[in-house]
Amino acid sequence: MRKLTFSGGIHPDDTKSLTAHLPIEEIAPPELLYFPAQQHIGAPPEIIVDVGDSVRLGQPLTKSEAFVFAPLASSVSGTVKDIGLYLHPNGTKVPTIVIENDGLDTKAEPLNTKTLDELSPKEIIRLVREAGLVGMGGAGFPTHVKLSPPPEKVVTDIIINGAECEPYLTSDHRLMLERAKDVILGTQAVMKVFSLGTATIAIEENKPDAIAAVSEEAKKVSGIRVAVLKKKYPQGAEKQLISAITGRQVPSGGLPADIGCVVLNVGTTAEIAQVITNGTPLYRRVVTVSGNAVAEPKNQLLRIGTPFSYAFSQSGGLTEPPSKIIMGGPMMGIATCSQDVPVVKGTSGILALSEKEAPWRNESACLRCGRCTTVCPLGLVPSALTAYAKLKDLEQCEKYHIMDCMECGSCSYVCPAQRHMIQSIRWAKSELQKKRAAMKK
Amino acid sequence: MADKLPVLSSSPHIRTSRSTGGIMRDVIIALLPALCCGVYFFGFRALFLVVLSVISCIGFEYLWQKLLHKPSTLPDGTAAVTGLLLGLNLPVTTPWWTMVIGAFVAIIIAKQLFGGTGHNFVNPALCGRAFLLASWPVLMTRWVLPFETGFFISPDVVSSATPLAILKGTAEGELPSLISMFLGNIGGCIGETSALALLLGGIYLVLRGVIRIHTPLSFIGTVAVLSFFFSSGDLGATESMLYHIFGGGLFLGAIFMATDYVTSPITGKGQIVMGIGCGVLTFVIRRFGGYPEGATYAILLMNIATPLIDRFTKPKTFGTTKKGGAKYAKK
């Protein structure tokens, strides 16, 4: 089979062997769980429970009338202990609901009792919204919004993203291997929503067992093909994936729907199947707990709201003070300074990296070696962007298409001078956004 | 465990193990065959001059950063590489004090005055050499044949002709055999005569991913094509081509100088433009200019053109058209 890919990109050591062979292990929920009220990109949520209320597993905690919104469900049954500001993995203190687990897992009414055949496309979209599904690769964009593009954008290609190109992470890998049926059923639901007869599930070549498992299930239904991708980072980035599969480029500043594509993560797809078959909203997810500072790296099935410290304790604790604690993968994940932050919908991994894995080095002068430009999957000139960002020359940054940067980190990774390019680019991007917002007013 | 907090920083959290110092170490390793050949052909004095050049470059950089209270960049190895290249780019007859002045020009004037590592707009070693060539043209062109030099150079040393000067007709002499040209058994600068040794170094650099093949290939290729079609003297086309590519500083320049990161374009396309530009200028100077050899000035001129080349060979941003707009009209 021809292996598909994009231009640019890097080949970091994927370090997946720490957990790739380990089956998903279901972890019993802890006593106290923390639910940051907003776990999606979009409208702010309204908290609909009060301190002292008793809640059931799957009961919604937030609501909003807005379209771009994903409700949040309790992942255990128990009592609301507190509603206040708690630390989020991203480093800010956000409104959070604290729930004391009663250990009974009393379930709320199921969201769905019909089968996929009985559901209409509209009902599927409503179910996806009620289940609170968001992009589980970490972006947190509400899935039902992706499933309902404006009428003038005709979707022709459905791509299910099982690339999992981030080093260390194996949660999608194990999920495809162990829950291939769910992945296929979810894909069929998405095909039904868009009334399309075909869909592509894209998997990187370094997961042959997952490719085999998903292909096996795909054979049983019609229209779903499995595409094998080259192992390269960032193969799972939306634009790069679309380019590898269809050969088309998402226009600068545009969305996949502009060229008739919709891309969903495999984890999200499997959750769509879950809500259809079990009627449960998104309340738990597979999280890769890994890194050399973790005693026993594992793929854990964790309830949303579980503190990182609890996840580490289920992996035998930490063997050394970690140099970095990261939510997500090492290339695009967020570093956090505390273990007392909860698993959210977008937590694909929790990494405790040792000093050796994630060394801190000071940046030295740019040599203009051009490695960053060669690897940039978006055809940008990261060295120039960094230089202009440091000069605070936002106009030149814009001219060099800084807003197209997806912050994949390939440039910083290859830089022999250890330039903190993504940091500089992020700063300039946020300044530009502020400037644009100010101009609108 | 609470005594040490984890580091908070922007992603990515893992980095390549490749460093500036490591790259410079590779360049030094790649130059060792050329240095060995130089010492073999031109004797102990060659080694003395190269070592002096390296020490002077490191010394000047150290002094500059000490006096200006700047953080030391000596560990990155760029000063040592500049010293090595400068030493290899001068004839063995060069007086020691000239070598030190060359190092001063390279490190202080060409590099540090413009902001140090990464900010010089011309190759420091070549700038040092060009300065010496312009200031002491006679001292800088006292070529001797291999195995004919002692440690001390007498002031009335007899200058022999380099193959390129014979080709040009500005000097009398017998052209050496092509095999001598390839091995380096000819008159010339310490490190430039052995095409074989330089080629070995070049292959090492390409395999280690330090340089890309674009510039050396297009540089040497351009000179080869031009000297094939505009042959020198009464030589046949192929012979003229071989003398031109093995003669002078072409290999040293194409592999080690024109590929200098700081002063060459960053994209593959730009590097090919750089190579072709260097090739054309080298040949024009050799054939029509006043000097028998033109690689130094060709590279320096193309160094100056690098920002311009970079601007015109900027890669196409993903999802844009050639004009820079979004690929599809947005609704």
Side-chain angles (χ1 to χ4, degrees):
Chain A
M1 196 185 289
R2 198 166 66 94
K3 287 167 188 162
L4 306 164
T5 193
F6 61 98
S7 68
I10 54 169
H11 299 273
D13 179 6
D14 70 11
T15 332
K16 288 182 193 277
S17 56
L18 286 174
T19 51
H21 58 289
L22 298 170
I24 299 168
E25 196 174 307
E26 188 168 352
I27 303 291
E31 253 169 59
L32 281 177
L33 292 98
Y34 301 80
F35 299 87
Q38 179 154 10
Q39 304 194 5
H40 64 275
I41 295 171
E46 183 191 328
I47 297 173
I48 53 172
V49 289
D50 270 320
V51 177
D53 282 3
S54 68
V55 291
R56 287 184 291 174
L57 197 172
Q59 182 179 331
L61 303 173
T62 61
K63 70 163 190 185
S64 166
E65 295 305 317
F67 177 63
V68 187
F69 172 80
L72 174 69
S74 174
S75 64
V76 290
S77 60
T79 324
V80 178
K81 281 291 272 191
D82 189 19
I83 296 173
L85 294 178
Y86 286 86
L87 199 60
H88 186 277
N90 71 10
T92 56
K93 283 196 167 170
V94 294
T96 300
I97 303 148
V98 185
I99 292 174
E100 190 175 30
N101 178 15
D102 62 11
L104 301 173
D105 279 353
T106 322
K107 286 192 180 169
E109 288 296 306
L111 297 172
N112 178 45
T113 48
K114 294 183 183 172
T115 63
L116 177 57
D117 290 336
E118 293 163 358
L119 288 165
S120 71
K122 276 224 170 98
E123 284 175 308
I124 296 174
I125 294 176
R126 183 188 54 81
L127 257 186
V128 167
R129 185 186 195 273
E130 279 177 9
L133 290 189
V134 298
M136 289 176 68
F141 191 71
T143 305
H144 69 277
V145 182
K146 265 192 184 180
L147 296 182
S148 25
E152 73 270 13
K153 307 254 160 88
V154 182
V155 169
T156 54
D157 292 79
I158 297 167
I159 300 168
I160 306 300
N161 184 355
E164 199 168 53
C165 55
E166 274 270 8
Y168 291 91
L169 302 188
T170 54
S171 47
D172 285 352
H173 177 179
R174 292 309 304 187
L175 184 132
M176 286 187 282
L177 188 60
E178 296 174 33
R179 286 171 60 194
K181 271 201 178 99
D182 278 357
V183 173
I184 298 294
L185 183 70
T187 309
Q188 286 179 299
V190 179
M191 286 158 72
K192 188 160 184 182
V193 167
F194 291 106
S195 336
L196 282 173
T198 56
T200 307
I201 300 177
I203 310 173
E204 258 190 9
E205 60 186 329
N206 59 349
K207 300 177 253 299
D209 47 355
I211 293 169
V214 175
S215 303
E216 189 62 32
E217 285 299 320
K219 267 184 220 152
K220 297 177 188 164
V221 297
S222 72
I224 299 179
R225 97 183 156 110
V226 175
V228 181
L229 304 164
K230 260 197 191 141
K231 179 187 166 240
K232 187 159 73 167
Y233 179 87
Q235 185 67 74
E238 206 167 55
K239 289 181 175 183
Q240 276 52 49
L241 187 65
I242 292 173
S243 149
I245 301 284
T246 69
R248 301 200 291 267
Q249 292 193 348
V250 177
S252 164
L255 292 169
D258 293 335
I259 52 165
C261 291
V262 64
V263 180
L264 292 181
N265 170 269
V266 274
T268 314
T269 315
E271 275 313 311
I272 295 177
Q274 199 68 231
V275 66
I276 291 172
T277 48
N278 299 335
T280 47
L282 172 58
Y283 73 98
R284 56 183 188 176
R285 65 159 300 147
V286 187
V287 178
T288 302
V289 181
S290 189
N292 276 343
V294 176
E296 300 162 39
K298 272 180 190 174
N299 295 298
Q300 301 185 359
L301 183 62
L302 290 173
R303 304 288 173 101
I304 307 289
T306 307
F308 284 13
S309 51
Y310 184 78
F312 285 137
S313 73
Q314 297 299 309
S315 267
L318 300 178
T319 52
E320 59 178 297
S323 169
K324 273 186 180 177
I325 297 176
I326 297 158
M327 178 179 87
M331 291 301 295
M332 289 188 78
I334 301 167
T336 160
C337 60
S338 167
Q339 296 181 31
D340 301 321
V341 289
V343 170
V344 293
K345 290 175 183 175
T347 308
S348 46
I350 305 173
L351 307 178
L353 301 183
S354 66
E355 186 76 44
K356 216 176 138 206
E357 290 171 287
W360 174 260
R361 299 202 196 100
N362 287 324
E363 57 181 0
S364 55
C366 169
L367 294 174
R368 291 180 28 89
C369 69
R371 284 180 172 80
C372 51
T373 310
T374 312
V375 300
C376 180
L378 291 169
L380 304 174
V381 188
S383 54
L385 290 176
T386 308
Y388 286 130
K390 290 201 176 224
L391 292 170
K392 306 190 177 175
D393 189 343
L394 298 179
E395 217 168 282
Q396 281 293 335
C397 284
E398 237 178 333
K399 249 190 202 163
Y400 275 76
H401 295 280
I402 195 168
M403 293 316 264
D404 278 316
C405 173
M406 59 170 164
E407 302 167 14
C408 70
S410 299
C411 51
S412 297
Y413 176 84
V414 293
C415 183
Q418 318 289 336
R419 307 278 292 170
H420 304 155
M421 288 195 249
I422 293 298
Q423 190 173 338
S424 306
I425 291 172
R426 277 204 179 115
W427 176 85
K429 277 173 80 173
S430 72
E431 287 299 302
L432 263 172
Q433 265 158 356
K434 273 188 223 160
K435 212 175 101 187
R436 281 179 186 179
M439 269 161 71
K440 265 186 195 164
K441 273 175 194 166
Chain B
M1 223 171 255
D3 52 343
K4 198 186 124 210
L5 281 173
V7 176
L8 272 186
S9 72
S10 174
S11 63
H13 306 289
I14 50 173
R15 298 281 197 143
T16 173
S17 52
R18 190 79 22 117
S19 65
T20 304
I23 288 171
M24 293 305 148
R25 196 168 56 232
D26 273 342
V27 175
I28 291 171
I29 292 171
L31 281 168
L32 287 181
L35 177 62
C36 292
C37 282
V39 175
Y40 173 73
F41 289 124
F42 299 110
F44 182 57
R45 186 182 165 82
L47 184 66
F48 162 74
L49 281 177
V50 173
V51 170
L52 177 70
S53 168
V54 172
I55 291 174
S56 315
C57 282
I58 291 176
F60 282 126
E61 183 148 309
Y62 174 80
L63 280 178
W64 174 269
Q65 286 169 344
K66 195 88 191 160
L67 288 174
L68 271 76
H69 304 291
K70 283 173 176 271
S72 169
T73 55
L74 287 180
D76 71 18
T78 47
V81 169
T82 299
L84 192 52
L85 284 172
L86 178 68
L88 294 176
N89 253 300
L90 292 173
V92 71
T93 53
T94 309
W96 67 267
W97 53 268
T98 330
M99 187 62 99
V100 175
I101 291 173
F104 176 84
V105 172
I107 292 295
I108 303 296
I109 294 180
K111 186 178 171 190
Q112 294 299 347
L113 283 185
F114 287 93
T117 309
H119 298 285
N120 47 295
F121 71 101
V122 288
N123 187 316
L126 280 184
C127 189
R129 175 187 146 105
F131 178 85
L132 297 183
L133 202 59
S135 309
W136 293 280
V138 180
L139 280 183
M140 284 304 113
T141 49
R142 294 187 304 177
W143 312 109
V144 289
L145 288 174
F147 313 115
E148 286 185 4
T149 37
F151 189 75
F152 298 101
I153 304 288
S154 66
D156 51 349
V157 60
V158 185
S159 180
S160 70
T162 62
L164 283 180
I166 300 168
L167 266 183
K168 201 179 173 83
T170 54
E172 293 288 311
E174 191 88 348
L175 270 178
S177 72
L178 275 170
I179 190 78
S180 303
M181 298 278 296
F182 184 64
L183 295 176
N185 192 8
I186 50 170
C189 295
I190 295 168
E192 73 176 18
T193 61
S194 175
L196 174 67
L198 292 164
L199 204 58
L200 281 179
I203 291 169
Y204 175 77
L205 288 185
V206 170
L207 289 181
R208 292 279 297 158
V210 172
I211 61 168
R212 295 204 284 173
I213 203 151
H214 300 59
T215 304
L217 209 62
S218 55
F219 191 168
I220 296 169
T222 304
V223 171
V225 168
L226 289 175
S227 54
F228 183 84
F229 286 109
F230 303 93
S231 54
S232 295
D234 40 0
L235 289 173
T238 317
E239 266 199 313
S240 151
M241 180 182 87
L242 290 173
Y243 276 105
H244 266 289
I245 63 174
F246 293 146
L250 180 58
F251 270 53
L252 185 58
I255 296 168
F256 292 96
M257 305 291 210
T259 55
D260 170 32
Y261 289 152
V262 181
T263 54
S264 67
I266 53 174
T267 64
K269 230 194 288 176
Q271 286 164 3
I272 291 172
V273 175
M274 169 92 182
I276 293 174
C278 285
V280 169
L281 286 171
T282 301
F283 187 75
V284 166
I285 294 170
R286 281 185 184 180
R287 194 65 207 280
F288 308 107
Y291 290 104
E293 169 56 326
T296 301
Y297 292 109
I299 296 168
L300 285 174
L301 285 171
M302 290 310 286
N303 283 166
I304 299 168
T306 292
L308 207 60
I309 299 173
D310 266 343
R311 188 180 303 171
F312 286 106
T313 55
K314 210 171 83 178
K316 192 177 77 69
T317 305
F318 187 95
T320 58
T321 54
K322 266 193 185 147
K323 284 178 189 154
K327 194 153 196 168
Y328 302 85
K330 267 195 283 171
K331 285 184 184 154

